[in-house]
Structure formats: structure tokens, C-alpha cells
Amino acid sequence: MTDVSITRRPPEPAVGTSNERKPSIAARIRAMGQPRIGALLLLLATLVAIVWANAAMDSYEAFWETHLTVGVGDLQLDFTLHSIVNDALMAIFFFTVGLEVRREFAIGELTSWSRAMVPVVAAIAGLALPALLFVLIVAGSGYEYAWGIVISTDTAFLVGALALIGPRVPGRLRVFLLALAVVDDIGALAIIAFVYTEDFTPLPLAIAAVGLAGVYATRYLRGGRGPVYATLAIIVWLAFLASGVHPTLAGVAIALLVPVYRPDRRDVEHALELARTFRQSPNSEYARAAANSLRESISINERLQSAYAPYVAYVILPLFALANAGVQVSPDILAAAARSPLTWGVVVGLVLGKLLGVFGSSAVLRGLRLGEFGPGLTLDRLAGGGALCGIGFTISLFIVDLAIDDEAAQNEARVGVLAASVIALVIATIIFRISDARRPDLESGQRLARPVDSRRDHVFGSDDAPFTIVEYGDFQCGFCLKASGSIQEVKEELGDRLRYVWRHAPLTQVHPNALAGAEAAEAAGLQGRFWEFERGLFADQENQRPSDIVRVARDLGLDVDKFERDLSSPEVTGRVQDDMLDAEAMGITSVPTLFINGRRHTGPYDAQSLIRALEESAGIDPGAAAAQEV
């Protein structure tokens, strides 16, 4: 069997022993990943801000109220450090949010309504119910207008917390929460624009509109797009600032106009040709051409997300927390917060409102059998995810500054935001630990997570067959090729008594073309030729580049234009992703992984071993069966 990192999986060490070297600190930090590190930095900045504000409040306020003046001649712009963080740096944060929104609606989870229904409905309920609870609790206090504080989930903290305290196999829940967060962000941004915008001046928005039109047209330039994007972005940001609309929304508006697309086969092939030319004749001209071609084959949206994500996670969001989380927590202030309907409105809105909104709406949809719920997206996992959505840190603190002018009330609201985030994290941790303890059999991968469905699965054989083999495989895996030969022998011996099912588990870290092969097989399946395409891929495992895949399609007589369109369709990419998430939910890290009548097969997978396993799983004595055949 081919493992993710090595050819064969090493034997498990005996209990109480270890044959692995302890990783270095640097290696452990790298293994944590950006979401975890970003969440920890955000938490650290929050703690520093609280300590700083309580140790020297005058110093804290004086530092962030430091004025900076930028300008030429009579044209002067005066900013405080606080406004630079909240108005300028946070525009970059909202720009990355807008890029993610654009991507999800163009090529991500929100392209298909059946896939998007559950997170979209959950997000809307998670926006409305917290606001309603907040208004009910603070009614009569004069702060009903601040209901926007409780509407939004902090995506950065959400992803980081899921990585830190989430369930053992969070894949499908992670996809659900990210799609939910995108819709949640759209709602929050719309509310900031329409509810918390004051002193509106329309003329500068006309200038912003011209700048945005220029941003859209920049995609057609043959080169030098970076400086043009940067110049127009500054103009649009300044126009939003002058209009009275919060300038951070300029980042969203620009991001929604940045093109996003999947890599085109012809662009990829051109890049490969240039790379081969550079390999044959190494020189700076070929190097630049190959590098530019590779870069251009990836959409600007994805390049910008990759470029800005580390700065947002490691610099901008921690700076925002440092500038906005400086809450004094003296006994008097905490006592006032405990008596304040504003504080309780924030806590109840975020903790209870998000949990009931996200979990309740998802449970209703599941009960009505509406939307897609794959293996791993269970009600207890949804409850844990709903609890995590109560972490409303970044945008909640952002709206506190927009919605409330009184400093004491701001302090009470910030105490509520911090308390809600801690409570939500604790509740989610408890739910996830209970959830993991309830299903050890499924989580160990010993039982097939998704039952075979002939309307969905690629099935060879009759649904009435008494024996079923489900294979999770990879078209570039040599061991999968051997397994396919064994299964063919089993089919020849058992005939119509065997039903064989293929599901995708491409090991992308080992086989760079495996994912493309899986999506190509699905695209061929839309023309009724999945099994023929599968045989074509297995017949030439060394050549599965984009041009090779199209050649196989052409040799099979497929409609190549439709085939190429389907390669990037939500139906195809979503189908492969579903199989991969199912594999993750069952802890599948190597292929081929076989399930015999719903139970995971261990040991040899030659034809006779598989036949014995099939008969034993069905309660048939292999010896008696052999005697009967004689």
C-alpha cells in the first residue's frame, strides 16, 4: 500500500515505546500551520492589550492616539495610529475576505445551491437570531442600535480554534464552517455599509465607481497589472474615506472585481513547455518566461490570497487586537459590566444566539432532508461548530468602535465580546470531546462511513449482489493498479455475486497528477464513460498531465469541449472532494483501502484473500464453499 509520505506504512511501535525522533521547535511550529499560529498570535496580542491597558491606561490611549500627517502642500491627511489600523490595515483584511467571497461563489462551495444550502441558511439564522436576542435584552437601555456587535463570527479565530480544539477529523465540518463564514462576512459587511455609515457624501463614490471600473478593466492589460491595481486601490480607498462610507469596504469592493478561475489546461501546458526549454538551455530569459507563465496560469485572486494571507494572520489581525482589545478589568469595571444589559446582550447574542441559530437551522434542514450532509457532519459536530461561531472577536470589536460613542459603554461591550469568545471556546471544546468519544468505530475507519448508493457511486455489478468491495484509490498508485487486477480476478470467479465500487482518495502529496485524474474520470462519467476512462488512466500511470488526460478523452470518443468544461464544474470538483472528505473522516491515509461488505479489509489483497474475506464477512465457511464448488 502507498502511504502519504512513504511507500509502505511502518509497523506501529509497541505501547510505551517510540521509534521517532522528537521534532525540533521550528518543525513543530511549521506543523501547526497558519490558522493555529494566527489564532495564537491574535490571542497573545489580546492578552498584551489587556495587560497594557490595565497597567498603564494613559500610555495605551496616548500611543494609539498618536497623530501622523501625510500630504503634499495643502493636501493633508491626518490619522491616528488607531485609525491607521482600523481604517487602512483592516481594509487589507476585508480585501482578503472579499477575495475569499469571490472565490467561493466562482469556483468554491457556494457555486452549487444544493451544497451551499445548509451553510447559507445556517449563516442567515446565525446573523438574525443573535441580533434579535441582543435587542430583546438591551431594550430600554438606549443601545439597541449596537445590535451589529453580535452578528458576525471571527473567521480567523474560528479556523484557528477548529485546528486547536476541533474534532479528530474536522474536514467536512471545516468546509461547512468556511462556507458559513463567507456568507456571515457578506452579512456583516452589508450591515457596516448600510447601518453604521454616517455623514454620507455621494460625489466621492462616483470617483470610487470610476476607480472600480478601472480595477475591472485592468485584467485585460498584458503586463504591469500590479502597479495599476495598487494605484487604483489607493484612489478607491481615498474616495470611500471622503464619502463617509467606512473605507474598509473599499477592500471588499476591489476584491470582488479581481478575476478568479481554475488553471486553464493550455496555460499549464505552455508553462510546462517553457520549463522544459529552460531545463535544456538554462538562461535568465527562459527562466523569466517560465516563471511568468507559471504565475499567469494561476488566477490573480488566488495569488493575492497566498501573498496577503501571512501578513493578515501574523501582522494585521494581531495589531488590530492590540489596538482594540485594551479593556480595563478592574473590580469596579467588571461589576459594572456584570450589571450592564449591554454586556449581557453581547454575551447572550454571541454565545446562545449563534449556537441556536447555526445548530437549530441545520438540525431543521437535516430533519426535513434538505441540503447535503455528508459523513462527519453530524448534529453533535454541528452543535460544536455553532458554539465556535460565538467567537465574534474581530468584527465585533470593530463594530463596537462604530456603534458606541460612550467610552464606559464601549468598555462594557468589549468585556462582553471577550467573555463571549472564551465561553464559546469552552462550550465548543466540551461538545467536540463528547462527540469524539461517542463514535470510536467510525472514527477508527473500521466501518464504511457512506453507504453505497448506485445513484451517486460508480458501481460495477448489481445492487442485489451479496458481496460488495468498495475501494478508495488513486489512479497514479501502482498498488491500486495491482488491486484492480486482483478485483478483476475476483469478479471473474464470483460473477454477478460481486458488486465493486470505486471512490477517490488521491494522495496529492505523493502523486501530483492524481487529483486531476480523479476529476477527469468524473468528467468522463458525465458522458457515461467512467470505467473506460479509469482503464485508460491505469494503462498509462506515468503520463497523466493535462494534455495526456485530454488525449485519453479524445481516444474514447468523448465530446472534448464538454469534457474540458466539466473538468472545472462544481459537480465534478464537489464529487471528488466529497470522496476525499469521506476518506479523511475514516482516517484513510494510504491506498488502496478496501472495504469488504462495509468493513475495512486488512491484510493481503490478492484475489483468493479477498474471496475468503468476502465469504467470512457474509458468514460463509470458505472451506465448505470450496468443497461445494468441487
Side-chain angles (χ1 to χ4, degrees):
M1 297 175 72
T2 303
D3 193 74
V4 172
S5 56
I6 55 177
T7 302
R8 286 186 181 271
R9 186 184 304 173
E12 295 291 335
V15 176
T17 67
S18 174
N19 57 7
E20 295 182 0
R21 295 175 60 187
K22 186 176 181 179
S24 67
I25 293 176
R28 279 180 281 172
I29 291 175
R30 286 194 300 271
M32 290 173 67
Q34 183 175 298
R36 291 187 181 187
I37 297 174
L40 291 174
L41 287 175
L42 200 55
L43 178 60
L44 179 62
T46 301
L47 295 175
V48 170
I50 293 173
V51 171
W52 184 4
N54 284 272
M57 189 62 184
D58 292 341
S59 168
Y60 181 82
E61 291 181 343
F63 177 81
W64 292 111
E65 290 303 316
T66 301
H67 283 259
L68 296 176
T69 301
V70 180
V72 178
D74 295 332
L75 182 61
Q76 301 286 329
L77 292 174
D78 184 71
F79 297 100
T80 63
L81 288 181
H82 186 267
S83 63
I84 288 176
V85 171
N86 282 26
D87 296 348
L89 292 183
M90 286 301 285
I92 300 175
F93 165 71
F94 282 110
F95 174 72
T96 60
V97 170
L99 290 174
E100 183 65 25
V101 170
R102 176 81 173 89
R103 184 188 184 282
E104 288 300 314
F105 275 101
I107 60 175
E109 282 294 300
L110 301 179
T111 53
S112 167
W113 174 241
S114 63
R115 298 177 66 83
M117 177 188 294
V118 179
V120 167
V121 172
I124 294 172
L127 289 166
L129 189 57
L132 177 61
L133 291 176
F134 177 88
V135 171
L136 290 175
I137 292 173
V138 304
S141 67
Y143 292 109
E144 297 87 347
Y145 183 67
W147 56 269
I149 296 171
V150 300
I151 59 171
S152 186
T153 296
D154 188 308
T155 305
F157 250 139
L158 175 73
V159 174
L162 186 65
L164 287 168
I165 57 97
R168 284 194 293 267
V169 280
R172 202 174 296 278
L173 178 63
R174 182 177 62 247
V175 172
F176 166 80
L177 289 177
L178 286 175
L180 180 150
V182 168
V183 181
D184 183 278
D185 288 336
I186 294 172
L189 296 171
I191 288 165
I192 291 172
F194 294 112
V195 178
Y196 297 111
T197 292
E198 299 177 355
D199 304 322
F200 176 64
T201 304
L203 182 59
L205 281 187
I207 298 174
V210 174
L212 292 172
V215 169
Y216 179 83
T218 300
R219 69 183 67 191
Y220 299 110
L221 294 178
R222 295 183 62 84
R225 290 190 292 265
V228 176
Y229 273 126
T231 303
L232 290 173
I234 293 171
I235 293 172
V236 172
W237 183 84
L238 290 171
F240 269 75
L241 181 68
S243 72
V245 177
H246 203 280
T248 53
L249 296 177
V252 180
I254 294 167
L256 294 178
L257 297 174
V258 173
V260 59
Y261 48 81
R262 294 186 182 277
D264 181 80
R265 177 183 65 83
R266 295 173 181 82
D267 292 338
V268 174
E269 288 295 329
H270 181 60
L272 289 173
E273 288 297 331
L274 288 174
R276 280 194 290 269
T277 301
F278 171 64
R279 183 179 180 182
Q280 294 167 359
S281 303
N283 62 59
S284 58
E285 181 179 352
Y286 288 148
R288 282 194 300 271
N292 289 336
S293 181
L294 284 170
R295 185 173 60 253
E296 292 299 321
S297 67
I298 303 171
S299 72
I300 300 173
N301 179 292
E302 294 186 270
R303 278 184 273 153
L304 289 173
Q305 283 194 65
S306 299
Y308 281 105
Y311 298 103
V312 170
Y314 301 151
V315 179
I316 293 175
L317 289 179
L319 274 177
F320 173 81
L322 193 62
N324 290 273
V327 181
Q328 289 187 304
V329 288
S330 66
D332 292 340
I333 291 175
L334 291 177
R339 296 189 301 268
S340 169
L342 179 57
T343 303
W344 284 107
V346 171
V347 171
V348 172
L350 282 172
V351 176
L352 189 61
K354 284 290 185 181
L355 175 58
L356 292 179
V358 172
F359 171 67
S361 59
S362 300
V364 170
L365 290 176
R366 191 182 184 94
L368 297 175
R369 299 184 180 277
L370 297 174
E372 293 187 20
F373 292 84
L377 198 59
T378 55
L379 287 179
D380 47 1
R381 295 278 173 80
L382 289 168
L388 270 187
C389 289
I391 302 176
F393 190 83
T394 303
I395 294 183
S396 292
L397 292 177
F398 188 78
I399 296 180
V400 166
D401 192 58
L402 296 178
I404 301 174
D405 295 325
D406 181 72
E407 186 175 340
Q410 284 184 345
N411 231 22
E412 293 171 0
R414 290 186 182 118
V415 169
V417 171
L418 296 176
S421 298
V422 172
I423 294 170
L425 187 65
V426 170
I427 293 174
T429 302
I430 294 171
I431 293 174
F432 287 139
R433 296 293 78 80
I434 294 173
S435 172
D436 282 344
R438 289 182 60 240
R439 46 175 58 84
D441 186 43
L442 177 60
E443 302 300 352
S444 66
Q446 298 307 307
R447 182 160 50 87
L448 188 65
R450 185 194 292 270
V452 175
D453 182 352
S454 58
R455 295 169 299 179
R456 170 195 182 274
D457 283 311
H458 301 292
V459 180
F460 191 84
S462 171
D463 285 342
D464 298 329
F467 302 127
T468 297
I469 296 178
V470 177
E471 176 181 359
Y472 281 85
D474 175 325
F475 292 126
Q476 278 200 291
C477 169
F479 292 100
C480 292
L481 175 60
K482 293 179 181 179
S484 68
S486 297
I487 292 170
Q488 180 60 36
E489 292 180 35
V490 174
K491 181 68 177 175
E492 291 173 357
E493 185 160 342
L494 297 182
D496 293 339
R497 293 187 294 161
L498 177 68
R499 178 177 63 166
Y500 169 62
V501 180
W502 170 276
R503 290 178 179 173
H504 304 286
L507 302 183
T508 54
Q509 296 179 15
V510 181
H511 303 135
N513 296 321
L515 179 59
E519 292 176 344
E522 288 299 322
L526 294 179
Q527 299 186 43
R529 306 296 292 276
F530 176 85
W531 294 109
E532 295 90 335
F533 202 92
E534 180 218 35
R535 288 195 292 272
L537 292 174
F538 272 139
D540 193 5
Q541 290 186 310
E542 298 300 319
N543 297 299
Q544 293 188 9
R545 294 174 301 175
S547 59
D548 301 317
I549 284 173
V550 173
R551 174 179 50 77
V552 174
R554 187 177 293 110
D555 291 345
L556 289 174
L558 300 181
D559 181 337
V560 175
D561 291 336
K562 181 181 186 305
F563 174 79
E564 291 194 279
R565 289 194 303 271
D566 288 338
L567 280 175
S568 58
S569 69
E571 183 178 0
V572 163
T573 56
R575 173 65 174 77
V576 174
Q577 184 187 52
D578 275 344
D579 279 359
M580 294 173 68
L581 289 172
D582 292 349
E584 182 191 36
M586 294 181 292
I588 293 175
T589 59
S590 58
V591 291
T593 294
L594 304 177
F595 288 83
I596 303 294
N597 288 339
R599 303 293 299 187
R600 191 165 185 162
H601 175 69
T602 56
Y605 49 87
D606 60 277
Q608 292 306 312
S609 296
L610 291 178
I611 291 171
R612 281 195 299 271
L614 286 166
E615 292 173 340
E616 289 171 359
S617 69
I620 300 173
D621 182 358
Q628 184 177 7
E629 289 179 6
V630 174

